[in-house]
Amino acid sequence: MKHTLGQIFRSPKFLVGFVIFMAILLLVIIYPLFVTDNPLGIIGQGTFFEPGIYVNVYDSLRSPQYILNLDNAAINRIASRLGDQERQDMKEWLIEYGVPEDEIDIDDTESLMELWVNNYDSTIVVPGMTAAKRKYYVRLDASLEGILATEGFHISVRNEETGDLDEVGYVNQKDYVNVNQVANVRILPLGTDNFGRDMLTELVAAIGVSLKIGLVAGLIATMIGLSLGLLAGYIGGWLDDIIMFITNLFTVIPSFVLLILISYSIGQEQRGAITIAAVIGLTSWVWTTRAVRAQVISLRNRDHVNLSKLSGHSVLHIIVADILPYIASYVFMALILQISSGILAEAGLSILGLGPKTTEVPTLGLMMNWAMIYSAHIMGKWWAYFPVIVAIALVSFSLNLMNTGLDQVFNPALRD
Amino acid sequence: MLQAKRGMAVFSNCQSIGGAALKGYLKYFGGKLIWFLITLIFAFLLNFILPRLMPGDPVAIITQRVVQGMTSQTGIQKVYEEYATLFGTNRPMHEQFFLYVRNLFQGNLGTSFSQYPRPVADILKSSLGWTLALQLPAILVGWMIGNTLGALAAYVKKGFDKVLLPASIFLSNLPAFGMAVILLVIFGVQLKWFPTSGGYGFDMIPKFSWDFIKSVILHYQLPFWSIVTIAIGGQAIGMRSMSIYELNADYVKFARFLGIKDRKIIGYVFRNAMLPQITGLALSIGTMVGGALVAETIFSYPGLGSTILTAVMGQDYPMISAATLLITLMVLVTTFLIEILYGVIDPRIKAAQTD
Amino acid sequence: MKKRLIFILSLVIVFSLLLASCTPAANVEEPVGEEPAVEEPAEEEPAAAGVDLDAADIAASLPRDETLYIAGLQWSALVGWNPYASTNNNAMGVSAGSSARVPIWETPYMYNMINGEEIPLLADGDYTWNDAMTEITFTIKEAAMWSDGTPVTADDVAYTWATNVKYETTAGVGYGEYIETVEALDPQTVVVKAKLDADGNAVNPLLVKAYISSEYVVQKAWTEALEERAGFDAAALKEDPAEDFVASGPYTKFYNDDQKVVFVRDDNYWGQDDSMWGSLPVPKYLAHTIYADNNAGFLALKAGEVDVSQQFNANVQDLWLVDGLPISTWMDDAPYGLTASLPTAYYNLKSFGLDNVAVRKAIAMAVDYDTIIANAMTNQSPTFAQVPRSVMNPTAGEQALYDQAAVADLQWVGSDIEGANALLDEAGIVDSDGDGWRDIDGQKLSYNAVCPNGWSDWQAAMEIVAAAGEEIGIEITTLYPEWGVYQTVFVDGEQTEYDIFMVWSDGAGPTQPWGRVRQIMSSEFAGTQGNWNGNWGGYVNPRIDEIIAEIPATADQARLIELYTEATEIYLTDIPSFSLMYRPDQFYTVNETVWTNYPAADDGRNIPPMNLLDGYSIAGLYGLELVP
């Protein structure tokens, strides 16, 4: 046993898979200890906030301010609102309006702005311009307001009694705050999803739940597969026929369709995470049964088994003591594969809308489902779905790598 | 020793089917046929019962659609009863079952609830074509490429193998929708190389024109490749294991010592390794309909998978029953055929029958 | 031996099944006239004279600059063209209702949901009531013609009504309790007579008026042919796919299959006469690709394959703000569209504690509506600060019908946790057993918030309602049953399974806002079974019933405002339900890659944003231009 374990851990593939899997597991366990927020808590008013560092504006006005003289601050400021594309568009509009082309220098911000402010009129209808383009120019004009200003902002508070604005502060264009000194700063490494939830926290919780579901489903499937396979393989005869018949029946009815039907039938109310795991387990034990049965059949005529039979040991004793140890490694590998496919099956179900209750637990499939419903993949909100895919792939990849490694240890022929 | 015997059987496969072997073969065939028939009956029953076990009332769904804007209670009740009688949902279950079977044998699969009064056979016919066109080539191509790569890896070993195995494992483990979404986003939305949805161009009408066929092929690419890449991964791993196993078998070493050319040996080796893969292929073809479900949903491809999903969501009993029956039949038939084929290809079975 | 037994047994079973199938068919009706929906454009006979279908000229693909692509109406294959049928699944062509779709079949009047006007289409000029408000009279335009060249006459209108009644179509049953007859005084004049109650007044004049802008006019001759073909059997008549229809609209059928539906313009359309539009609609083809789901349609809109999209596209503004595409909605800023209905959360008044108005008001006050609108609707709805809550929708027409100042202090904005807590404390509903939840007489207040599974924006809203409950000490958990289950429970007037549940409300139409008031609060629906009409919580208030009875017969504007204001006041005081957001009847997003000059909020044409097909919005088709 110890020797086998040593061999297992020396196998490179197993090791790599194991490391990845452990890393994910540790993340799932340790992260919630540091970040205690409710993974399903809605923190954003709005959908799909981009990943980044969110600084409370109100608090930053109240934080200590420092003056920094940076060379390109003004250029950055202008460029963020007036990029190359915008300059080109302004030039186009001005030409349409009738300003001679050689008077327009798009690199000279001041003269361009002067021409623009003097000539732009949102009520003018340029023939052939689409409504969308016209609205774009209106928005552009509004966004360019005050772009060349050098004055800062005045901060005022409304006076309760008089209703006037009393000035309480002034912000210069050179004032900076230190993010560490602002009272409320929230880092959202993966932004928010469509509900306004913190993606990273939700993702970690979801991986945990999916792992749990996979484990339960895998265990159930392997248990059923193991018992049925042992019985069918060892006892044989009519029991074998019946079990094989049931197995064939399950093969023939598409398991995914069965899964969908059952999932739909038990209704949303009962569809907790564990129930789904049980349902997945109950529909995917087929190939384990077949494989175990094949192994057992080849084992049952071995010498040591015959010896036990002659010695008068009971059937149960023979199965447990003589057959089980020989297929243990095989069963363990099957378990790993079942866990992996259980996770994928749950993800598949959730994506179709038949997974566990959305708002009790987050699962990987559910997160994908919501992201797709709110068209995240179409609108380029990659943080809402891509990390989920990577998480699923990594989990199942690591499990399968471990499985391959084990395979190589138990079947020396496959070693490279 | 067992392996040597098998090897001999392989070498001497020119031994024709003798009289005794033929009788044994028929017994084998007969056994399979029995199983086939029994499973068929059970499948019938299950396919009928399962959808009807789903809670909810499909007639109420249709009624609700129809009575939008109506405010008269009696009117609504009347509409409901009309539909209930039409669909026969107000009859006891066993009556409905016999009706169903009778209609089935007359070739009538019923009328769909959700697309009333469109007949189910019509809906199935149109979506089945698309699914077959998408899945069959995808499975076959994935199978061929995957097996070739797997066999090569087993034979060549060294560097090629070291790269192929992890890559295959990773590919085969990407969830189907993951691959589909990634392909969609990268090639469809960002690079705009391929169209993002549908079976053919949005401005086209099906005709046998070159334009139309080109459009179909273009729309075909992304769903096709999303299925193939994952299939390749799976097949490569399986074939590689089997090939390695075979390559280390005694009879290969024996043949090498005899001086037989490597190329000839390889032929035999891969023929042996191929056997379980063929079973896998059969199973894939049989279950291909369900497998395409996710790809069809994401690419909005008009196939059987999305039809089934809509049917389930809309509680369309006839549709669900018909679709699952179709899938069941396909799996049964292909499995049956493969088992027969197996009996022909695998000499061990022949040998088992003769002694 | 055993195997042989099994073999024989299975053969026997199979044979008996075969035998069973040979018996004569029982009384299962087979739909008559079952025809496949696929047609060949090349070989089809022109459906009616006047439509030039030289399909040989038409390439295998539709010319992009003559086709307008619409998305979001048709989600599966088209079934028929029969205006009498209940389920045609012909979203573009046969869809009667408050804003009836009029490219193929036409109604006498077109409803404009922006201002509530009814604009004559087949009718000539406005309609008039008689003094007793029991009859409506209108005339038919002289120019109005069917596609076979015969004129549209009052006889057609009368015969359509008679057919609706005789065969109990949706229209016939729906309006049968309110309209007595429709008669043709002379070939051009129609009189619609209302059903009278015991006092000799019309039972419901509003619904009588609604009929003439909501239901199609069908040719008498064609109807008679249809009746004969159907053997005068109601079921057969309603199931007939009516491929040979004769209609009066500007478009007719061209091609349809599983993937798309195409209409082609009838260049002999009568409406090009000066008495109507004065020209033909601009696009020669109206095409609708059948997308599998929202995302497919959204992708197509982005790619320029769809011109007009009736879909809820989340964060649609990113398409022009971030991607710079030539896509616009009705308005440039939030709420982006013209909202017309009020998705509402109903209280089941039989649930423990919900019969107490303090509980109802507290929950309604505490909900964070801003987050619902920002997250679930991605800002495609005005907030309750912008359009204070009432029973009216945000359109100018309806908002003018009540006195906002009079009820201003009843109109809560939401997220008022303090106020809700104070309200409950005052009412004496506190946590007396220390378990963290308020209780009444020792029983904890605990409810479920329900909506159908898969309706994403509603689900998000329910989440937020549940979160509000937690803030004020009332336990609310969400529940999302499948649609098939949901709609068997909530229509049962005696159900006790759902406590707080979401249902849609009526949108815009000629009978609104009266129809909505009735839907939300009329006691005629309370406690009934199979109730698709309204008042699912079982609210009973005699005063409201009086108001509901009085409004349809009232013509005086000032009196109407009084009545509606009172109705709003009662609604906001008793709170039998509360609206969660505003929602458009039809979403409206347009792509200017090929066409331009779509109706927009600020263009002064007052064409409603109803995908250019519904009611008066069809006027948009006549003003389209190609992008140069």
Side-chain angles (χ1 to χ4, degrees):
Chain A
M1 190 63 181
K2 214 165 43 164
H3 180 64
T4 322
L5 273 177
Q7 266 196 315
I8 292 177
F9 277 96
R10 243 173 282 146
S11 153
K13 291 208 174 51
F14 180 83
L15 214 50
V16 171
F18 188 70
V19 164
I20 297 179
F21 188 72
M22 276 300 130
I24 296 177
L25 206 56
L26 280 174
L27 179 69
V28 170
I29 297 176
I30 295 185
Y31 185 89
L33 298 175
F34 287 100
V35 182
T36 51
D37 301 322
N38 177 8
L40 294 175
I42 297 176
I43 58 172
Q45 186 175 90
T47 52
F48 297 126
F49 290 173
E50 288 188 24
I53 305 175
Y54 287 80
V55 179
N56 188 316
V57 180
Y58 181 81
D59 290 329
S60 67
L61 289 175
R62 292 295 200 177
S63 309
Q65 293 174 354
Y66 305 88
I67 300 183
L68 290 175
N69 290 311
L70 300 173
D71 284 336
N72 44 8
I75 297 178
N76 284 343
R77 197 166 293 128
I78 293 179
S80 73
R81 284 151 73 179
L82 188 59
D84 287 335
Q85 180 61 41
E86 282 84 11
R87 291 171 192 265
Q88 199 57 35
D89 289 329
M90 285 165 76
K91 178 173 176 182
E92 269 172 35
W93 194 95
L94 287 170
I95 292 175
E96 285 282 338
Y97 181 70
V99 176
E101 188 166 344
D102 44 10
E103 275 185 35
I104 309 174
D105 177 9
I106 61 174
D107 293 320
D108 182 352
T109 312
E110 279 173 14
S111 76
L112 184 64
M113 280 307 300
E114 205 186 310
L115 278 172
W116 179 261
V117 166
N118 289 339
N119 294 315
Y120 178 72
D121 186 351
S122 62
T123 56
I124 295 180
V125 177
V126 176
M129 185 181 284
T130 58
K133 195 81 179 166
R134 198 166 28 87
K135 293 183 200 181
Y136 164 71
Y137 279 118
V138 172
R139 287 197 301 272
L140 183 60
D141 184 50
S143 78
L144 290 177
E145 196 153 310
I147 194 174
L148 289 174
T150 47
E151 284 270 306
F153 286 146
H154 297 261
I155 306 177
S156 334
V157 171
R158 192 169 292 278
N159 189 317
E160 300 262 331
E161 291 140 36
T162 65
D164 288 338
L165 292 171
D166 296 333
E167 179 165 331
V168 293
Y170 180 73
V171 175
N172 215 319
Q173 283 190 351
K174 295 189 185 158
D175 289 336
Y176 290 79
V177 288
N178 188 334
V179 143
N180 294 330
Q181 294 175 346
V182 177
N184 283 307
V185 173
R186 180 67 188 249
I187 304 179
L188 292 174
L190 289 178
T192 66
D193 67 0
N194 65 290
F195 282 112
R197 299 176 177 152
D198 178 1
M199 267 295 294
L200 185 59
T201 314
E202 205 186 347
L203 185 63
V204 168
I207 296 179
V209 173
S210 292
L211 279 176
K212 215 173 20 166
I213 293 181
L215 189 65
V216 172
L219 276 173
I220 293 180
T222 312
M223 280 297 123
I224 299 179
L226 184 61
S227 349
L228 286 181
L230 277 173
L231 285 174
Y234 186 72
I235 299 184
W238 56 269
L239 189 61
D240 185 19
D241 280 343
I242 292 183
I243 292 182
M244 271 297 102
F245 176 70
I246 299 179
T247 313
N248 285 330
L249 210 59
F250 264 84
T251 321
V252 150
I253 296 180
S255 67
F256 206 61
V257 179
L258 197 61
L259 206 51
I260 294 177
L261 284 174
I262 297 180
S263 197
Y264 186 90
S265 306
I266 60 178
Q268 225 274 337
E269 212 170 309
Q270 322 284 38
R271 240 188 261 146
I274 301 301
T275 321
I276 290 285
V279 170
I280 295 177
L282 286 169
T283 47
S284 53
W285 48 266
V286 173
W287 72 264
T288 312
T289 311
R290 275 232 182 101
V292 168
R293 174 179 171 275
Q295 290 278 346
V296 172
I297 286 182
S298 76
L299 269 175
R300 73 176 169 192
N301 288 324
R302 291 275 176 88
D303 291 340
H304 69 274
V305 173
N306 287 330
L307 209 60
S308 287
K309 262 197 254 186
L310 286 173
S311 309
H313 285 149
S314 71
V315 169
L316 192 61
H317 182 261
I318 298 179
I319 290 183
V320 171
D322 294 320
I323 301 202
L324 205 48
Y326 284 82
I327 59 174
S329 58
Y330 196 81
V331 170
F332 188 66
M333 280 170 18
L335 175 66
I336 293 184
L337 283 179
Q338 290 280 36
I339 293 179
S340 164
S341 69
I343 295 179
L344 285 175
E346 183 275 321
L349 263 187
S350 302
I351 261 227
L352 296 173
L354 293 165
K357 274 200 261 200
T358 312
T359 52
E360 236 179 39
V361 286
T363 73
L364 293 170
L366 279 174
M367 288 172 74
M368 274 298 295
N369 186 31
W370 281 109
M372 311 246 317
I373 289 180
Y374 274 85
S375 312
H377 58 302
I378 301 178
M379 300 298 277
K381 318 262 186 215
W382 57 268
W383 57 93
Y385 63 92
F386 193 64
V388 179
I389 297 182
V390 169
I392 298 181
L394 272 181
V395 168
S396 109
F397 177 58
S398 62
L399 283 171
N400 273 282
L401 212 51
M402 292 203 303
N403 187 46
T404 318
L406 281 176
D407 207 15
Q408 287 184 332
V409 168
F410 294 130
N411 288 328
L414 291 171
R415 291 186 199 162
D416 31 47
Chain B
M1 265 335 278
L2 201 62
Q3 288 168 343
K5 186 174 174 189
R6 188 178 63 217
M8 291 300 202
V10 168
F11 280 133
S12 58
N13 69 349
C14 22
Q15 251 179 20
S16 314
I17 306 172
L22 185 61
K23 189 156 154 223
Y25 193 65
L26 277 177
K27 204 167 78 173
Y28 173 76
F29 178 80
K32 295 290 172 192
L33 191 61
I34 295 175
W35 168 79
F36 176 76
L37 285 173
I38 297 180
T39 322
L40 191 64
I41 297 170
F42 269 93
F44 257 20
L45 268 170
L46 276 174
N47 275 318
F48 176 80
I49 296 178
L50 276 177
R52 285 159 179 78
L53 287 178
M54 292 198 297
D57 188 359
V59 179
I61 297 184
I62 301 186
T63 313
Q64 183 267 318
R65 259 216 310 265
V66 169
V67 303
Q68 294 275 8
M70 266 221 268
T71 47
S72 145
Q73 277 297 95
T74 36
I76 295 175
Q77 197 60 28
K78 227 182 281 194
V79 174
Y80 180 86
E81 271 158 22
E82 197 182 301
Y83 279 113
T85 331
L86 206 54
F87 293 138
T89 49
N90 51 5
R91 297 194 206 184
M93 196 69 103
H94 57 269
E95 254 191 68
Q96 290 187 45
F97 179 62
F98 282 116
L99 222 61
Y100 169 71
V101 173
R102 173 189 325 154
N103 286 337
L104 204 57
F105 277 98
Q106 284 174 342
N108 172 15
L109 286 165
T111 19
S112 153
F113 286 177
S114 53
Q115 291 189 46
Y116 183 79
R118 209 162 157 222
V120 165
D122 197 40
I123 304 176
L124 275 185
K125 207 172 18 158
S126 40
S127 39
L128 188 62
W130 290 103
T131 297
L132 281 177
L134 173 67
Q135 279 280 49
L136 211 52
I139 291 177
L140 284 173
V141 168
W143 190 83
M144 282 192 288
I145 299 183
N147 280 332
T148 318
L149 283 177
L152 262 174
Y155 186 63
V156 170
K157 291 202 223 213
K158 302 286 182 289
F160 186 66
D161 185 29
K162 276 205 186 330
V163 169
L164 182 78
L165 189 58
S168 313
I169 299 180
F170 188 72
L171 271 182
S172 68
N173 273 309
L174 263 183
F177 57 84
M179 181 58 92
V181 169
I182 290 178
L183 283 181
L184 175 69
V185 170
I186 296 180
F187 293 106
V189 178
Q190 301 289 354
L191 290 175
K192 300 203 198 348
W193 286 359
F194 294 105
T196 48
S197 66
Y200 54 90
F202 73 101
D203 54 351
M204 300 234 159
I205 293 177
K207 261 183 147 62
F208 274 115
S209 72
W210 182 235
D211 274 333
F212 178 68
I213 295 181
K214 248 196 318 194
S215 174
V216 168
I217 293 181
L218 201 62
H219 280 256
Y220 188 67
Q221 296 309 311
L222 286 181
F224 179 77
W225 288 110
S226 76
I227 298 177
V228 167
T229 35
I230 300 185
I232 290 181
Q235 293 296 332
I237 298 175
M239 186 60 176
R240 180 184 167 280
S241 305
M242 287 310 302
S243 307
I244 290 181
Y245 200 65
E246 288 296 319
L247 279 171
N248 287 326
D250 285 348
Y251 72 90
V252 174
K253 295 195 187 116
F254 190 53
R256 277 215 183 106
F257 288 143
L258 277 180
I260 297 181
K261 283 236 176 13
D262 249 4
R263 223 183 304 152
K264 215 161 183 193
I265 303 180
I266 302 283
Y268 291 126
V269 163
F270 291 135
R271 224 186 102 180
N272 284 351
M274 195 72 81
L275 289 172
Q277 297 296 81
I278 293 187
T279 320
L281 178 65
L283 225 53
S284 296
I285 294 184
T287 57
M288 75 165 124
V289 172
L293 202 103
V294 172
E296 283 177 18
T297 313
I298 295 190
F299 290 107
S300 308
Y301 206 73
L304 200 51
S306 38
T307 313
I308 293 182
L309 198 60
T310 339
V312 171
M313 297 303 191
Q315 292 202 283
D316 193 344
Y317 300 153
M319 193 69 230
I320 302 174
S321 297
T324 43
L325 193 62
L326 187 65
I327 298 175
T328 309
L329 271 174
M330 270 177 19
V331 174
L332 266 178
V333 168
T334 37
T335 319
F336 185 60
L337 284 176
I338 290 298
E339 301 249 350
I340 303 298
L341 193 66
Y342 222 81
V344 172
I345 295 182
D346 189 351
R348 285 176 290 186
I349 297 187
K350 250 190 266 170
Q353 304 299 339
T354 46
D355 49 38
Chain C
M1 189 57 209
K2 212 190 323 173
K3 280 222 164 106
R4 201 179 297 169
L5 207 61
I6 300 179
F7 183 61
I8 295 177
L9 199 63
S10 43
L11 275 180
V12 167
I13 296 180
V14 171
F15 272 129
S16 57
L17 288 173
L18 276 167
L19 276 174
S21 73
C22 297
T23 56
N27 291 337
V28 179
E29 291 99 303
E30 296 295 315
V32 169
E34 243 181 283
E35 288 165 55
V38 181
E39 299 169 71
E40 301 290 328
E43 291 116 38
E44 189 65 22
E45 286 282 309
V51 178
D52 188 34
L53 271 188
D54 195 3
D57 287 322
I58 315 255
S61 56
L62 295 170
R64 186 65 178 95
D65 56 356
E66 290 180 14
T67 316
L68 186 74
Y69 282 91
I70 304 181
L73 296 171
Q74 186 93 23
W75 296 100
S76 50
L78 184 149
V79 167
W81 310 84
N82 187 342
Y84 297 114
S86 7
T87 46
N88 266 309
N89 200 21
N90 185 343
M92 285 207 294
V94 184
S95 178
S98 347
S99 283
R101 249 161 240 162
V102 290
I104 293 188
W105 295 101
E106 296 184 314
T107 53
Y109 288 89
M110 297 179 287
Y111 182 70
N112 184 346
M113 48 122 22
I114 295 184
N115 47 23
E117 274 178 18
E118 272 153 310
I119 293 142
L121 180 56
L122 286 175
D124 193 5
D126 290 334
Y127 58 88
T128 47
W129 281 103
N130 64 351
D131 291 328
M133 270 193 91
T134 58
E135 287 177 11
I136 292 185
T137 313
F138 63 90
T139 48
I140 305 285
K141 281 200 171 77
E142 300 229 352
M145 298 270 202
W146 296 107
S147 56
D148 61 359
T150 58
V152 177
T153 63
D155 264 334
D156 293 319
V157 186
Y159 200 74
T160 306
W161 171 251
T163 314
N164 276 328
V165 169
K166 179 170 171 193
Y167 296 101
E168 294 178 326
T169 63
T170 316
V173 173
Y175 289 99
E177 292 178 22
Y178 312 106
I179 297 181
E180 182 69 53
T181 59
V182 174
E183 291 167 13
L185 269 189
D186 60 51
Q188 296 303 119
T189 315
V190 179
V191 177
V192 180
K193 294 197 175 149
K195 266 210 163 75
L196 303 175
D197 61 15
D199 306 325
N201 294 324
V203 170
N204 194 322
L206 258 185
L207 281 165
V208 176
K209 179 189 81 154
Y211 178 72
I212 58 178
S213 59
S214 311
E215 299 296 331
Y216 295 126
V217 175
V218 187
Q219 190 192 48
K220 177 170 172 182
W222 180 78
T223 310
E224 285 171 333
L226 179 67
E227 285 181 282
E228 262 200 60
R229 187 163 72 215
F232 297 92
D233 172 49
L237 184 114
K238 287 188 274 189
E239 279 158 21
D240 193 301
E243 304 278 350
D244 62 341
F245 66 89
V246 172
S248 59
Y251 288 90
T252 186
K253 71 174 181 175
F254 182 62
Y255 176 80
N256 62 280
D257 67 6
D258 263 346
Q259 302 282 299
K260 59 161 44 106
V261 175
V262 184
F263 294 168
V264 69
R265 186 180 61 205
D266 178 353
D267 289 344
N268 292 328
Y269 173 51
W270 70 268
Q272 59 192 303
D273 183 80
D274 285 334
S275 65
M276 191 62 229
W277 304 107
S279 64
L280 285 172
V282 177
K284 178 153 186 224
Y285 298 98
L286 285 181
H288 191 311
T289 312
I290 297 175
Y291 293 105
D293 54 20
N294 257 14
N295 279 335
F298 195 18
L299 277 167
L301 176 69
K302 246 187 123 176
E305 297 172 5
V306 169
D307 297 312
V308 182
S309 167
Q310 192 294 112
Q311 275 181 205
F312 170 58
N313 300 317
N315 286 316
V316 68
Q317 69 276 9
D318 279 358
L319 287 176
W320 64 84
L321 287 180
V322 173
D323 296 327
L325 295 167
I327 294 179
S328 342
T329 47
W330 178 247
M331 290 182 243
D332 214 24
D333 284 313
Y336 302 109
L338 193 56
T339 48
S341 77
L342 288 61
T344 306
Y346 282 84
Y347 285 118
N348 185 346
L349 295 170
K350 292 187 295 301
S351 297
F352 176 76
L354 283 181
D355 50 347
N356 185 324
V357 68
V359 175
R360 299 202 297 270
K361 178 145 192 186
I363 297 178
M365 278 168 71
V367 175
D368 184 356
Y369 301 100
D370 286 337
T371 304
I372 292 181
I373 291 171
N375 292 16
M377 287 291 285
T378 63
N379 285 317
Q380 290 185 27
S381 155
T383 64
F384 287 105
Q386 292 165 335
V387 180
R389 59 177 59 243
S390 63
V391 288
M392 320 292 168
N393 69 22
T395 56
E398 288 197 17
Q399 289 286 310
L401 281 173
Y402 85 110
D403 180 4
Q404 206 253 308
V407 293
D409 46 356
L410 288 173
Q411 291 171 318
W412 71 91
V413 173
S415 303
D416 188 3
I417 309 288
E418 273 176 43
N421 276 325
L423 190 66
L424 286 171
D425 290 335
E426 261 176 51
I429 302 171
V430 291
D431 180 13
S432 49
D433 52 9
D435 62 352
W437 304 109
R438 295 178 191 266
D439 42 74
I440 295 181
D441 297 335
Q443 184 173 344
K444 169 170 91 165
L445 292 181
S446 168
Y447 307 113
N448 54 17
V450 195
C451 82
N453 190 27
W455 298 29
S456 47
D457 43 350
W458 286 20
Q459 282 180 268
M462 286 288 101
E463 285 306 311
I464 296 173
V465 170
E470 209 177 308
E471 303 274 335
I472 59 174
I474 297 182
E475 186 182 41
I476 303 183
T477 47
T478 53
L479 175 64
Y480 304 126
E482 293 300 330
W483 168 237
V485 177
Y486 184 73
Q487 41 108 35
T488 47
V489 175
F490 89 92
V491 301
D492 176 0
E494 321 217 317
Q495 61 96 0
T496 51
E497 286 169 50
Y498 302 160
D499 303 311
I500 307 174
F501 53 100
M502 265 186 90
V503 192
W504 55 83
S505 87
D506 280 349
T511 61
Q512 305 299 340
W514 170 83
R516 200 174 304 116
V517 177
R518 180 186 183 212
Q519 184 193 42
I520 299 178
M521 295 189 278
S522 170
S523 64
E524 62 185 302
F525 305 133
T528 53
Q529 302 284 327
N531 172 14
W532 288 103
N533 298 314
N535 195 3
W536 291 284
Y539 173 69
V540 177
N541 184 332
R543 177 62 196 140
I544 278 284
D545 290 335
E546 285 171 21
I547 296 178
I548 291 176
E550 194 183 330
I551 290 180
T554 312
D556 173 32
Q557 200 66 3
R559 179 69 185 142
L560 271 180
I561 294 182
E562 267 177 39
L563 288 170
Y564 278 123
T565 310
E566 196 185 339
T568 308
E569 203 181 316
I570 296 180
Y571 183 59
L572 293 178
T573 317
D574 286 348
I575 314 182
S577 55
F578 59 101
S579 43
L580 292 161
M581 52 179 119
Y582 295 105
R583 197 175 199 274
D585 263 348
Q586 306 271 320
F587 289 98
Y588 177 74
T589 317
V590 294
N591 186 322
E592 279 175 297
T593 317
V594 176
W595 299 98
T596 184
N597 203 27
Y598 295 101
D602 48 4
D603 66 357
R605 291 185 287 170
N606 252 357
I607 301 178
M610 303 279 272
N611 52 65
L612 273 58
L613 294 176
D614 289 18
Y616 185 58
S617 75
I618 199 166
L621 286 180
Y622 295 85
L624 287 177
E625 291 163 7
L626 282 172
V627 173

